[in-house]
Amino acid sequence: VVCLGMLAPRKFMERRRKTEVFKDAADEADQMNWRRLMREIEDEGSAVSILRNRRSTGSPLKRDIVLGTLTRFKQLKKWNLVGEILEWLRTQHWWNFSELDFLMLITAYGKLGDFNRAERVMRYMNKKGYPPSVISHTALMEAYGRAGQYNKAEAIFRRMQSSGPEPSPVTYQIILKTFVQGDKFKEAETVFQTLLSDERSPFKPDQKMFHMMIYMHKKAGNYDQARKIFAQMADRGIPMSTVTFNSLMSFESNYKEVSNIYDQMQRAGIQPDVVSYALLISAYGKARREDEALAVFEEMLDAGVRPTRKAYNILLDAFAISGMVEEARTVFKSMRRDRCMPDLCSYATMLSAYVNASDMDGAERFFQRLKQDGLEPNVVIYGTLIKGYAKVNDLEKMMETYERMRMQGIEGNHTIFTTIMDAHGKDFGSAVVWFKEMGSRGSPPDQKAKNILLSLAKTPEEQREANEL
């Protein structure tokens, strides 16, 4: 009954279009012209050809329209289009390419991690006599960081500290992120603690810096230290957001701890977002508490939060783990109804629901549906089927599925070879064959495969051979 309730109309589906108000007819015409331009650029995937056509056909291409387009793509973080438009504007005689345009261009290359072009723009700005800018230096530093050139990024940061321009809060946010991405945890900790404790520091760490440090300690597996950073935020009056609580929830494995953090967030008056709900659903699903997982999903829908495909996949997985096929099918059906088309991961998870329920007839039918829906099965899909046949001890079908996979040009992975080894049970000879097959297929045996081989070796000769392998 609860599952069927998911088929009720959703709040986010009932939203009405807002009535727009324009200043006058000319303003409305400009707005419609600009939106048409944006749609054409997004459909084409390239901006310059559309803008050039506008100019060549005599259509108006006002400065305000170009600036609006740049600003909108900047908001959407489509930095490739921002860079493309600005490079084109540099060659246009009717456009006065100013220092602000150069700064936006080098920022775009910084976000794209294109340090070669960022260096080129920096050299040109120096040649034109523009004064050193914290924006351009930060952008070049970010370009190096995103390209994995962590030492070069650090060198620019140290140079800014020693000889200017003075790093801004954004500079510190980016260098902390760069250090964490490059696993330079000690350097990140030093920079953060210096800002935190140095009285001469022009500013103190902000919310984003605290978030990055929580993420760093999570990445390093130091969860106690992450919790201390969280406590420091409260002590120092740093405002907390949904991201703060989501960061904490993301590394907790116990559903009780995740639920406790979720309750703290609500008591603090912070509205959960789709990530918050997904993390809580995932925690309940892994603990095989499907009723609670579904209740949280319903709460998300009632709050008017639109589920993402990932949120749906997490709920689907909560039912699939326990082989609850009917409930999983209801979730799968709801995805389409809520205009959130299932991806290959959704199909793989739904297939695993049949496998975990030992319903291999249903699994085969769903496998055929996957192909009818235009999706190409990958190694995970075939691996799920192989696991299912191994589970019901149908070795013939298991090997048929493996051969079907090979005929499609797909090589097996560790999971598939280990499953086949394990399925052969007491047959040490077959286990040896598949153990060797793993290595020959470019998948060196993992610890689980080694343990299986050792466990099947009974006689002294077999044990000797297993140890040698």
Side-chain angles (χ1 to χ4, degrees), residues 51-71:
L51 294 172
R52 191 182 288 123
N53 286 340
R54 284 284 182 111
R55 288 279 298 171
S56 62
T57 56
S59 299
L61 193 59
K62 298 177 183 176
R63 181 180 176 82
D64 289 345
I65 288 179
V66 175
L67 288 174
T69 305
L70 281 170
T71 303

Side-chain angles (χ1 to χ4, degrees), residues 57-229:
T57 56
S59 299
L61 193 59
K62 298 177 183 176
R63 181 180 176 82
D64 289 345
I65 288 179
V66 175
L67 288 174
T69 305
L70 281 170
T71 303
R72 184 59 182 147
F73 283 133
K74 182 182 174 184
Q75 290 169 346
L76 294 171
K77 295 183 169 53
K78 295 191 175 182
W79 295 105
N80 57 326
L81 291 175
V82 172
E84 183 189 353
I85 293 170
L86 286 168
E87 286 287 8
W88 178 68
L89 289 174
R90 281 180 69 182
T91 66
Q92 301 302 299
H93 63 84
W94 53 273
W95 185 271
N96 180 25
F97 206 85
S98 66
E99 182 183 5
L100 289 176
D101 294 322
F102 277 113
L103 291 174
M104 189 184 286
L105 181 59
I106 197 171
T107 299
Y109 288 139
K111 298 295 181 186
L112 292 168
D114 191 339
F115 61 87
N116 288 319
R117 286 188 170 132
E119 286 174 343
R120 189 192 70 202
V121 174
M122 177 77 92
R123 285 195 298 270
Y124 194 81
M125 290 179 73
N126 292 336
K127 187 177 176 182
K128 294 275 284 185
Y130 293 122
S133 162
V134 65
I135 296 174
S136 58
H137 281 70
T138 300
L140 183 58
M141 182 187 77
E142 184 173 18
Y144 282 128
R146 285 180 179 267
Q149 304 274 338
Y150 304 117
N151 291 334
K152 288 186 178 180
E154 183 179 1
I156 290 177
F157 175 70
R158 301 301 180 195
R159 193 160 62 244
M160 290 173 74
Q161 282 184 309
S162 61
S163 56
E166 186 70 27
S168 68
V170 174
T171 309
Y172 278 96
Q173 289 170 10
I174 290 171
I175 195 62
L176 283 175
K177 184 177 180 181
T178 299
F179 283 147
V180 173
Q181 284 176 336
D183 293 340
K184 302 182 83 164
F185 301 145
K186 186 178 178 182
E187 289 86 345
E189 184 70 37
T190 302
V191 169
F192 182 76
Q193 290 300 332
T194 301
L195 283 177
L196 207 59
S197 56
D198 192 346
E199 294 299 327
R200 294 169 298 173
S201 176
F203 48 81
K204 294 300 177 185
D206 58 13
Q207 186 189 74
K208 285 188 175 181
M209 295 182 204
F210 272 96
H211 287 168
M212 185 50 61
M213 296 310 292
I214 290 173
Y215 172 72
M216 182 192 84
H217 290 302
K218 171 198 166 185
K219 187 179 179 183
N222 193 350
Y223 301 144
D224 288 337
Q225 194 61 35
R227 294 185 189 98
K228 286 180 184 176
I229 296 288

